[in-house]
Amino acid sequence: MLVVKIGGGTGIDYDLIADDVSRLVRAGNKIVVVHGGSALTNEVSEKLGHPPEFLTSVSGYTSRRTDKRTLEIFEMVYCGQVNKGVVERFQQRGVNAVGLSGIDGRLWEGPRKSVIKVIRNGRKMVVRDDFTGKVEKVNTGLLVSLLEQGYLPVLTPPAISYEGEAINVDGDRAAAMTAAALSAETLVILSNVPGLLEKFPDESSLIRKIPADEIEQFMDVAKDRMKKKVMGAMEALADGVGKVIFADGRVENPLTRALEGEGTVIGG
Amino acid sequence: MLVVKIGGGTGIDYDLIADDVSRLVRAGNKIVVVHGGSALTNEVSEKLGHPPEFLTSVSGYTSRRTDKRTLEIFEMVYCGQVNKGVVERFQQRGVNAVGLSGIDGRLWEGPRKSVIKVIRNGRKMVVRDDFTGKVEKVNTGLLVSLLEQGYLPVLTPPAISYEGEAINVDGDRAAAMTAAALSAETLVILSNVPGLLEKFPDESSLIRKIPADEIEQFMDVAKDRMKKKVMGAMEALADGVGKVIFADGRVENPLTRALEGEGTVIGG
């Protein structure tokens, strides 16, 4: 079992990824795809007159301010435009994809964190009524049923809170939880960089290999969105995933190359 | 088995419908929900600077001009905002809904009609590169599998062409095809009118009962979007659905009332 996370950043080539994933599915690999849609959500939010806002938590993580209207736009982009665009790409390649969000079938369930402590202009503040949270439970029954029927699951945030509300969750960490729940051998996280960079954004400073027990030390090396990928990798490895690979989603055969060892290989 | 189509027009009360459908699901009824999103798509299209355009075919049917960009916006609204909003409503009521479009799992498959003959300003014209079509095949295997696992399927256009392209299809007729494929006893079509009106828009002119073999005569009574509902009803009844009910989606217990005989009952 292989879980592939496709980032939502600019430059990601969905067609090349779909080519490669389709080839691997046809070769008999069981794959679950997870994708984001962050860059496009920013764009659509601007156009719809509800510009994106990002919060920095007191522990240094960046997340999207998700009020009710943002959540709607988020769902339009992630579950509508991007998810159906990805599913259509697979269908055109003869792979019978099924797109689902984390709220469908309570696929990704977890606590909502409606109150967030943030740093704004150097001051600690509290933001309320946010629709964010994290994935604690994965409905593997639904995923396994789809895989057994020959479908390719294509998953995307939001997730669902224990109270039944849609919540914005980090896609990388949701992919990590999914890989762990399915006891996947490998989690590949494709983004618009070649992997974890020692000196971001210098792509020649790619870190090639990290032993599973040393990953925590690399939290400081990771910048911005890469932080959550590293955190996802730690969670996945701790929960029994064989290895996690951060690789480049802008190139031909991105998944095959990642599985052959390109990018940053963690554990394994 | 019961198939419920929820219209996408203004005035439809999704909360009241979700209350009622949830009650019936908990009472043990096997239900499949199909919904639209037309009014909201018009609104979002305007806001995104790609205003909606409607075509009138030479045979008198109205349909949305669906170029590639319209299809994207259509997916944002139907598969994103509306579908996930409906699924979330069910989840909050303790019903484990799964939202899918017709492209997921090739749920609704059929021919694309890229060339449409239309009447524009009184003249016959040809519109090319349209992404519309109709549903000919329903993937009942996926639906039955979900129902057997206790999920409530919540379906929405687009469908998928035989060539793997997303295509805009009429939701009423897709619901009719779904009811027929599942051999449903009843198809209920909820919209923002009380049923088929003898003198549209006079709601007191509601037609209460139509024998199955007389429905064709009512094609002329039906105006605008109601035409496709009547056509869907004809197709459903011809394909073995027990009865079709056109009912009001703006009231409390809309489905229960429809099943008790309110609205326009066709066949049965």
Side-chain angles (χ1 to χ4, degrees):
Chain A
M1 180 81 71
L2 174 63
V3 174
V4 186
K5 165 65 173 31
I6 311 173
T10 44
I12 300 286
D13 193 319
Y14 285 94
D15 285 308
L16 294 180
I17 296 172
D19 286 344
D20 199 22
V21 171
S22 298
R23 206 160 30 229
L24 289 163
V25 166
R26 272 193 295 271
N29 294 280
K30 291 271 182 225
I31 300 182
V32 172
V33 172
V34 177
H35 69 79
S38 188
L40 196 56
T41 298
N42 297 346
E43 215 178 276
V44 173
S45 296
E46 291 283 359
K47 281 188 189 156
L48 291 176
H50 194 77
E53 188 188 338
F54 290 90
L55 307 173
T56 304
S57 73
V58 290
S59 35
Y61 294 98
T62 302
S63 66
R64 182 186 298 277
R65 163 71 170 135
T66 311
D67 56 16
K68 201 71 196 171
R69 177 63 181 146
T70 300
L71 190 67
E72 263 181 10
I73 298 170
F74 184 99
E75 288 179 340
M76 290 170 77
V77 175
Y78 280 70
C79 311
Q81 189 173 359
V82 180
N83 190 266
K84 297 319 162 198
V86 171
V87 168
E88 188 183 9
R89 279 182 181 84
F90 283 118
Q91 293 292 357
Q92 287 175 354
R93 287 160 178 81
V95 171
N96 205 349
V98 171
L100 295 169
S101 78
I103 72 172
D104 297 297
R106 307 189 81 80
L107 203 55
W108 287 336
E109 205 173 352
R112 174 182 168 194
K113 197 173 179 183
S114 57
V115 176
I116 312 177
K117 291 181 193 145
V118 301
I119 305 274
R120 198 179 270 169
N121 304 326
R123 282 186 50 214
K124 283 190 190 178
M125 289 180 63
V126 163
V127 171
R128 291 178 197 280
D129 303 320
D130 212 54
F131 287 88
T132 53
K134 66 172 178 177
V135 178
E136 283 181 346
K137 284 169 63 179
V138 177
N139 181 350
T140 52
L142 180 54
L143 291 177
V144 169
S145 160
L146 289 170
L147 288 164
E148 278 174 356
Q149 291 173 75
Y151 298 109
L152 172 70
V154 177
L155 314 183
T156 186
I160 192 156
S161 74
Y162 291 122
E163 291 73 33
E165 302 145 313
I167 47 173
N168 180 0
V169 294
D170 179 66
D172 293 314
R173 292 179 68 190
M177 288 302 291
T178 306
L182 291 169
S183 304
E185 298 94 61
T186 311
L187 165 64
V188 176
I189 299 184
L190 298 173
S191 71
N192 55 1
V193 286
L196 185 57
L197 306 175
E198 182 83 49
K199 305 185 193 84
F200 178 83
D202 174 7
E203 299 199 358
S204 70
S205 69
L206 176 71
I207 298 165
R208 302 304 302 262
K209 194 125 189 46
I210 302 175
D213 57 1
E214 291 176 23
I215 174 72
E216 205 168 342
Q217 305 163 28
F218 288 82
M219 272 304 284
D220 289 337
V221 175
K223 299 288 172 258
D224 301 327
R225 296 180 64 83
M226 191 51 87
K227 273 191 190 301
K228 291 201 178 156
K229 295 185 201 301
V230 172
M231 187 177 270
M234 287 198 308
E235 290 165 343
L237 292 167
D239 286 348
V241 173
K243 63 181 167 188
V244 179
I245 308 171
F246 297 160
D248 200 324
R250 303 167 299 180
V251 300
E252 263 189 75
N253 303 319
L255 187 53
T256 302
R257 285 159 76 157
L259 295 173
E260 286 168 1
E262 280 193 28
T264 303
V265 181
I266 309 159
Chain B
M1 180 81 71
L2 174 61
V3 175
V4 187
K5 165 65 175 31
I6 311 173
T10 45
I12 299 287
D13 194 318
Y14 285 94
D15 285 308
L16 294 179
I17 295 172
D19 286 344
D20 199 22
V21 171
S22 298
R23 207 159 28 229
L24 288 164
V25 166
R26 272 193 294 271
N29 293 282
K30 291 269 182 227
I31 300 182
V32 172
V33 172
V34 177
H35 69 81
S38 187
L40 196 56
T41 298
N42 296 348
E43 216 178 277
V44 174
S45 296
E46 291 283 359
K47 282 189 188 155
L48 291 176
H50 194 78
E53 188 189 337
F54 290 90
L55 307 173
T56 304
S57 73
V58 289
S59 36
Y61 294 100
T62 303
S63 66
R64 181 186 300 276
R65 163 69 170 136
T66 310
D67 56 15
K68 201 71 196 169
R69 176 64 180 146
T70 300
L71 190 67
E72 262 181 11
I73 297 170
F74 184 99
E75 288 179 340
M76 290 170 79
V77 175
Y78 280 69
C79 310
Q81 189 172 359
V82 180
N83 190 265
K84 297 319 161 198
V86 171
V87 168
E88 187 183 9
R89 278 182 181 84
F90 283 118
Q91 292 292 357
Q92 286 176 354
R93 287 159 177 82
V95 171
N96 205 349
V98 171
L100 294 170
S101 78
I103 71 171
D104 297 297
R106 308 188 82 80
L107 204 56
W108 287 337
E109 205 173 351
R112 173 181 169 194
K113 197 174 178 184
S114 57
V115 176
I116 311 177
K117 289 180 193 144
V118 302
I119 305 273
R120 197 179 273 168
N121 304 326
R123 281 186 52 214
K124 283 190 191 179
M125 288 180 63
V126 163
V127 171
R128 291 178 197 282
D129 303 319
D130 211 55
F131 287 89
T132 54
K134 65 172 178 178
V135 178
E136 282 182 345
K137 284 168 65 179
V138 177
N139 181 351
T140 52
L142 179 54
L143 291 177
V144 169
S145 159
L146 289 170
L147 288 164
E148 278 174 355
Q149 292 172 75
Y151 298 109
L152 172 70
V154 177
L155 315 183
T156 187
I160 191 156
S161 73
Y162 291 122
E163 290 73 31
E165 302 144 313
I167 47 174
N168 180 0
V169 295
D170 179 66
D172 294 313
R173 292 179 68 191
M177 288 302 292
T178 306
L182 291 169
S183 303
E185 297 94 62
T186 310
L187 165 64
V188 176
I189 300 185
L190 299 172
S191 72
N192 55 2
V193 284
L196 185 58
L197 305 176
E198 182 82 49
K199 303 184 194 86
F200 179 83
D202 174 7
E203 299 198 357
S204 70
S205 70
L206 176 69
I207 298 165
R208 304 303 301 262
K209 194 123 189 48
I210 302 175
D213 56 1
E214 291 176 22
I215 174 73
E216 206 168 342
Q217 305 164 26
F218 288 82
M219 272 304 284
D220 289 338
V221 175
K223 299 287 171 259
D224 302 327
R225 295 180 65 83
M226 191 52 86
K227 272 192 191 301
K228 290 201 178 156
K229 296 184 201 301
V230 172
M231 187 177 272
M234 287 197 307
E235 289 166 344
L237 293 166
D239 286 347
V241 173
K243 64 180 164 189
V244 180
I245 308 171
F246 297 159
D248 200 325
R250 302 165 300 180
V251 301
E252 265 189 75
N253 303 318
L255 188 52
T256 302
R257 286 159 77 156
L259 294 173
E260 285 168 1
E262 281 193 28
T264 303
V265 180
I266 309 159

